[in-house]
Amino acid sequence: MSARAATCRRVGDVVAVWAAVVGALIGSFLNVVIYRVPLKRSIISPASACGACGARVRAYDNIPVISWLALRGRCRDCGSRISVRYPLVELGGAAFFAAVTLRFLPEISAASTASALGASIVGLAAFLYLAAVSIALALIDLDTHRIPNVIVLPAYIVGLLMLGLAAILGGDYASLLLAGTGCLAMGLAYLVMAVAYPGGMGFGDVKLAGVLGLFLGWLGWAPLAVGASLAFLLGGIFGVVVMLIRRGGRKTAIPFGPWMLAGAWLGIFVGAPLSTGYLSLFGLE
C-alpha cells in the first residue's frame, strides 16, 4: 500500500468514527421523534422525561448508549426500566452513519476540484439525512403501521434541495434528471398498486416510494432497479416465513415501509455490483 493510500485510509477511519459519534447523537434525537410523532406531540418541547414518574432527564443521563449502561437501563429517580430500544436506536444510528460515510467517502477522496469536492460532501449529507429519516420511518411504521406525512413529505423538499445543490456544484444535471425520473417512476408505480389493491398498499407507502426513487435515481439506473425490486423480494420472503412459523396468515397486516427502506439501502450500497452480477449470468454485461 502506497503512503498516499495509507494516509487516505487513516483519514477515512477517522471520518467514519466521527460520523458514528454524530449518528449516535442523531439516534438519541430520533428516539424522541419515534415516540412523539405518532402521538402528534412536539419533538422540541418539553424536555425528555421518564415516562413513569415524569422526572426530567438530566443532561448527563442523556449521553447516547453510555448513560443507559451507567444507569443499568433504569430511571435514576424511580427505578423504572428504560426500554433497550433506546440504546439500540443510538447504536444503529452510529453504525448507519459510519456505513453511509464509508460508502460515499471514495467519491469525496476522488474529487479533483473544489466544486466537485463540495458536490460530493453535499451528496453525502443528503444520504445521511435519508439514513436518519429511514430509521425513524421504519420504527414508526413497525409500531403504528403508518408513515407520517410530517416526516416523509419534508424529505421531498430536503432531498431536492440537497441533490439539486450537489448537481449545481458538480455540474451533474444528468443525475438530477435521473433522480426526478426515479421519483416519478416509483411514486406512480406504487400509486397504481395502491389504487388497484387498496388492502395491500397504503398511500404512506406511495409517498415514501417517491422519496426513495429520488435518492436511488440520483445514483443511477442499477441502484434504482435493484432498490425498487428488492423491497418486494424481502417483504415476500418475510411474509412466507411468518406464515410458515404460523405467526400469521395470508391476511395478516405486515408493514411494507421497512422493506421498502431495506431494499432501497441495499440498492444504495450494492445495487451496481448486484445488477452487474445478475446481467452477467445471462451474458448481458
Side-chain angles (χ1 to χ4, degrees):
M1 181 182 294
S2 67
R4 177 181 173 81
T7 301
C8 290
R9 178 72 176 271
R10 287 194 294 271
V11 171
D13 291 341
V14 171
V15 171
V17 169
W18 276 107
V21 172
V22 173
L25 293 170
I26 295 295
S28 182
F29 173 69
L30 291 177
N31 277 317
V32 177
V33 173
I34 293 163
Y35 175 72
R36 294 188 183 184
V37 165
L39 299 176
K40 301 185 184 302
R41 292 171 52 185
S42 170
I43 61 175
I44 300 174
S45 64
S48 297
C50 173
C53 68
R56 182 171 177 175
V57 177
R58 301 161 179 82
Y60 51 80
D61 286 337
N62 213 17
I63 303 171
V65 183
I66 295 173
S67 292
W68 189 89
L69 292 173
L71 292 169
R72 298 181 180 180
R74 292 184 179 276
C75 171
R76 182 182 294 276
D77 294 278
C78 69
S80 297
R81 289 191 177 276
I82 303 171
S83 173
V84 72
R85 172 187 274 191
Y86 290 98
L88 289 179
V89 169
E90 291 161 356
L91 285 171
F96 209 172
F97 268 50
V100 173
T101 299
L102 290 172
R103 158 65 177 83
F104 290 95
L105 203 56
E107 297 177 11
I108 296 175
S109 301
S112 57
T113 64
S115 59
L117 177 62
S120 299
I121 292 175
V122 172
L124 169 60
F127 280 88
L128 288 175
Y129 167 78
L130 179 63
V133 167
S134 296
I135 293 173
L137 289 178
L139 290 175
I140 290 174
D141 198 14
L142 285 171
D143 288 342
T144 67
H145 289 205
R146 290 182 59 252
I147 295 177
N149 288 336
V150 70
I151 296 178
V152 73
L153 293 183
Y156 281 95
I157 300 172
V158 175
L160 283 170
L161 287 176
M162 298 186 78
L163 295 179
L165 178 58
I168 293 171
L169 290 173
D172 188 7
Y173 297 102
S175 291
L176 187 60
L177 178 61
L178 186 51
T181 302
C183 176
L184 290 174
M186 281 191 65
L188 287 174
Y190 273 76
L191 177 60
V192 170
M193 287 186 285
V195 172
Y197 184 42
M201 190 72 64
F203 281 94
D205 297 328
V206 176
K207 298 165 192 172
L208 177 58
V211 172
L212 296 179
L214 178 71
F215 283 87
L216 286 167
W218 171 262
L219 297 177
W221 287 111
L224 177 61
V226 171
S229 59
L230 281 181
F232 296 96
L233 177 62
L234 294 173
I237 292 173
F238 179 77
V240 171
V241 170
V242 168
M243 288 190 289
L244 288 177
I245 62 176
R246 300 185 179 182
R247 292 292 182 89
R250 295 178 64 182
K251 295 185 179 180
T252 300
I254 299 174
F256 195 56
W259 302 114
M260 294 172 64
L261 291 162
W265 279 103
L266 283 172
I268 290 167
F269 281 110
V270 296
L274 276 181
S275 176
T276 300
Y278 179 77
L279 293 175
S280 66
L281 291 176
F282 301 94
L284 298 176
E285 186 68 20

